[in-house]
Amino acid sequence: MKYEMKEEKQESFDNAGTLVYTNTIKYPYFLENLECSNQLNQRYRDIIKEYISDDTDSGNSFGNAFEDIREEYLPFFDDVYVEVTYNKNGYISLLERYTTWEGGGHPYSYFKGITFQIENGKEDVMFLEEKELPKYMKDKEIREVQDMDELKEG
């Protein structure tokens, strides 16, 4: 499926003009008029609607709530990045990474992988032909782990 990457971004400022919060969404926009394309484009329109608001006062209220710590931690962020990880043989797979940071030592990240059949837009479990698996793993720098001890050793 043909697509182009797009980005939506919102920045929220307090009354003093300090950037207190950002939302960035990077996602594929699918160009073909297929059921699968339409479904995925709608999925990302819904995510944008959820993450990017029309509330022009949100930065002010959010920034004032954390006035005592904001110098050290601002701006906070709540982002979504989507990567197309597989796009052939009738399937498309996407990896969605949701990342939020509101101060502290590190952000919170959540990953979600989804796969669709291109022909009908149904969400599916992807099956690679056995001969394709080693190349896919090499391309994505994935290595096979024989047991948990090997994983612990790194």
Side-chain angles (χ1 to χ4, degrees):
M1 284 180 18
K2 295 179 183 175
Y3 65 93
E4 62 186 24
M5 294 303 292
K6 292 196 171 200
E7 179 177 322
E8 301 286 336
K9 187 169 188 169
Q10 179 179 26
E11 296 179 330
S12 299
F13 298 86
D14 65 8
N15 283 338
T18 303
L19 178 62
V20 294
Y21 208 84
T22 65
N23 294 96
T24 303
I25 301 171
K26 292 182 181 178
Y27 64 99
Y29 177 80
F30 296 93
L31 304 171
E32 299 169 272
N33 188 19
L34 301 169
E35 180 61 27
C36 190
S37 298
N38 297 336
Q39 283 182 244
L40 289 169
N41 287 338
Q42 183 61 52
R43 174 184 185 81
Y44 296 116
R45 278 192 298 272
D46 292 345
I47 288 174
I48 290 166
K49 187 177 179 180
E50 179 181 342
Y51 276 75
I52 307 292
S53 79
D54 294 328
D55 182 5
T56 56
D57 194 42
S58 63
N60 200 26
S61 60
F62 192 81
N64 292 338
F66 293 94
E67 198 168 287
D68 56 330
I69 63 167
R70 69 181 186 195
E71 292 298 322
E72 182 178 350
Y73 292 111
L74 294 181
F76 300 141
F77 61 83
D78 197 3
D79 300 333
V80 180
Y81 296 98
V82 183
E83 175 187 357
V84 176
T85 57
Y86 189 86
N87 187 9
K88 61 183 178 179
N89 297 332
Y91 291 93
I92 186 158
S93 292
L94 302 117
L95 180 63
E96 298 175 346
R97 182 182 75 201
Y98 299 81
T99 305
T100 301
W101 187 69
E102 295 178 349
H106 57 82
Y108 169 77
S109 293
Y110 166 75
F111 294 85
K112 181 177 182 177
I114 52 175
T115 299
F116 291 89
Q117 295 177 21
I118 294 172
E119 178 183 339
N120 56 24
K122 289 184 179 177
E123 192 167 351
D124 203 346
V125 175
M126 182 178 71
F127 294 98
L128 292 174
E129 294 180 26
E130 190 172 332
K131 64 183 180 184
E132 292 181 359
L133 190 56
K135 181 180 180 336
Y136 178 80
M137 291 175 70
K138 182 178 180 223
D139 289 348
K140 296 297 177 187
E141 298 179 2
I142 301 169
R143 65 181 185 89
E144 184 177 357
V145 176
Q146 299 298 322
D147 59 40
M148 289 305 289
D149 289 333
E150 181 183 347
L151 185 61
K152 291 174 189 172
E153 293 169 6

